[in-house]
Amino acid sequence: MHNMLLARAAVFGVGSLLLLGEVLWLRRSGGAVRLGRGALAAILVVYMGVMLFLFANHLRFPLNLDLMESVVLQHIQRAATFQPIYPQPTPEYVPLSYNPLFYVLTAPFAWLLGASLPTARLVAILGALGSAFLMFWIVFKTTRSVWWGFVSLGLFAAAYRVMDVYLDTAHSDSWLLCTALLGSYLISLKRSRTWNMAGIVVLVASFWFKQHGALFLLGGLAYLTWLEGRRSLIYWGVAALL
């Protein structure tokens, strides 16, 4: 364990130095910069490869990866068979996990693939891949650089353990992240009130994936209030309604 921690620290340190060098020498050219960029790209590719390997490995695991996975599965099974997700508690079923939109989203996959842990993990992985794409797209559109979009993907993969390894387990966290990113991005475009409203609706969805989404929703509403003043009341009304 000690050696593994040292190895991770070494990789993180080298990667950080290479990334810092890339930032400081962005406008320079030469063999050293190309070498540093190549080494950084190699480290980021390794991180992405490890994350994809873990996704595939965890997807097929027959037992619980997390204590609450079996509880989440019970909710999905009820949603897939059109039973109430939150009935009165009984000895056989106690509704303990309040992420209803994840269960509704997973239900069609359960009809096709069966209501099982691998199915729930697959839906979670799709949310993680959606988050990764949004990271790339937002950075690419901001910097107009495929390279920096690629770097953002590598950093997202490197943060796998930072997010408590919840991106590929039967939980809604990846979809909370995906919808929070998408809703915030739509609002940041400042294209029209229709786009802003779409962003608010997506942020509301992040709340229904997991309660923490309320923080992102309130942040989006505060931002639009700062931009539009009283005209933002319609956003608050829609958010409260939904």
Side-chain angles (χ1 to χ4, degrees):
M1 178 63 72
H2 180 68
N3 291 337
M4 184 179 297
L5 290 175
L6 287 177
R8 288 175 179 170
V11 171
F12 176 78
V14 171
S16 299
L17 289 174
L18 289 170
L19 184 58
L20 178 61
E22 173 69 18
V23 173
L24 294 177
W25 301 323
L26 183 62
R27 299 186 181 279
R28 300 185 183 183
S29 60
V33 174
R34 287 194 295 271
L35 179 62
R37 179 173 290 201
L40 177 59
I43 291 176
L44 296 178
V45 167
V46 169
Y47 274 127
M48 287 186 275
V50 169
M51 187 176 74
L52 292 176
F53 169 78
L54 291 173
F55 283 179
N57 182 263
H58 290 171
L59 181 65
R60 302 189 303 268
F61 189 68
L63 304 177
N64 282 14
L65 289 168
D66 173 85
L67 180 63
M68 290 290 288
E69 276 196 319
S70 58
V71 177
V72 170
L73 180 59
Q74 282 186 302
H75 293 66
I76 292 170
Q77 290 168 340
R78 295 185 68 90
T81 54
F82 302 101
Q83 299 181 66
I85 301 174
Y86 302 115
Q88 285 294 110
T90 66
E92 293 78 25
Y93 176 74
V94 178
L96 292 174
S97 187
Y98 302 102
N99 311 301
L101 193 52
F102 182 68
Y103 311 136
V104 174
L105 176 65
T106 308
F109 292 87
W111 300 337
L112 294 173
L113 305 174
S116 63
L117 288 176
T119 299
R121 290 171 189 154
L122 173 63
V123 175
I125 289 171
L126 292 176
L129 295 177
S131 299
F133 172 77
L134 284 169
M135 291 287 295
F136 172 84
W137 182 253
I138 292 169
V139 172
F140 167 70
K141 294 293 287 185
T142 302
T143 64
R144 298 293 177 182
S145 168
V146 174
W147 164 250
W148 286 110
F150 170 79
V151 169
S152 72
L153 275 180
L155 293 175
F156 178 76
Y160 173 81
R161 289 189 63 84
V162 175
M163 291 178 276
D164 289 334
V165 202
Y166 270 93
L167 292 180
D168 58 347
T169 54
H171 290 287
S172 61
D173 297 66
S174 62
W175 281 101
L176 160 67
L177 177 62
C178 186
T179 48
L181 281 170
L182 179 58
S184 301
Y185 175 64
L186 292 176
I187 291 173
S188 75
L189 295 176
K190 301 180 183 178
R191 288 185 176 176
S192 67
R193 303 199 77 197
T194 301
W195 280 90
N196 291 341
M197 188 63 73
I200 290 299
V201 171
V202 175
L203 289 176
V204 169
S206 75
F207 164 77
W208 285 107
F209 275 117
K210 199 166 187 178
Q211 298 94 323
H212 306 67
L215 299 175
F216 296 97
L217 174 61
L218 290 173
L221 289 169
Y223 176 70
L224 289 173
T225 301
W226 177 63
L227 286 180
E228 300 187 14
R230 291 182 179 179
R231 296 180 65 212
S232 66
L233 288 176
I234 183 66
Y235 305 129
W236 287 91
V238 169
L241 180 65
L242 296 178

